[in-house]
Amino acid sequence: FKRYLYSLPSNIYTFLGDAYAAMGDTQQAWSAWMSAIAEDVSYREPYLRLAAAANNRKFYHLAVALVEECLEKTYRHYSWLEQDDSWNASPYDILAIAYYYLDEYDKAYANVQKALSKSSLEDDNRLKQNLINMVLTRKILKKNLKFIENKFLS
């Protein structure tokens, strides 16, 4: 019971951040999610909410840092306050998107594969489409790199 009471402020801030985000108040949402992390670093949800919001604002380096910190510092509480997707595909999906836009295609590819393997939805079409896009991007880059090497470096 004490552990539940201790985690309550963190989760209240997370839910408050979600409410602000739903109302379109991004600044208050970010502030609430950061307060949730400050209250208790062991819950994944506020890290992932911030990381997804960072991706949406094109702050890809921040998204990567948040997810990496999330994976390092959080642990499963097995509480009704946790969302299953936070422990499945979500962190790797966020990383895949961020790495893709940072032109780190190998890392993006590895993370979208991991997200797809952990996806709670058997038929997650968006993740499958992301995987296809990343495979094509890698092939095109490798083909162009080979062309450049043959044309200019040999």
Side-chain angles (χ1 to χ4, degrees), residues 39-83:
E39 283 290 329
D40 187 346
V41 298
S42 67
Y43 280 94
R44 281 192 175 188
E45 285 74 17
Y47 285 103
L48 298 179
R49 301 291 202 296
L50 275 169
N55 267 352
N56 289 338
R57 305 276 271 179
K58 300 181 180 9
F59 300 143
Y60 303 117
H61 290 287
L62 177 60
V64 168
L66 284 163
V67 174
E68 287 176 352
E69 187 172 332
C70 165
L71 293 173
E72 180 184 315
K73 291 186 177 181
T74 60
Y75 60 87
R76 190 85 194 239
H77 294 269
Y78 294 98
S79 157
W80 65 274
L81 298 166
E82 294 178 303
Q83 294 181 346

Side-chain angles (χ1 to χ4, degrees), residues 91-109:
Y92 307 102
D93 183 26
I94 293 167
L95 280 175
I97 292 166
Y99 281 131
Y100 182 83
Y101 287 108
L102 290 170
D103 297 331
E104 295 189 41
Y105 301 112
D106 290 336
K107 288 181 180 180
Y109 177 72

Side-chain angles (χ1 to χ4, degrees), residues 112-126:
V112 77
Q113 282 186 308
K114 198 166 199 175
L116 201 50
S117 73
K118 292 179 171 282
S119 178
S120 56
L121 303 173
E122 286 289 330
D123 189 29
D124 194 336
N125 290 330
R126 188 186 58 76

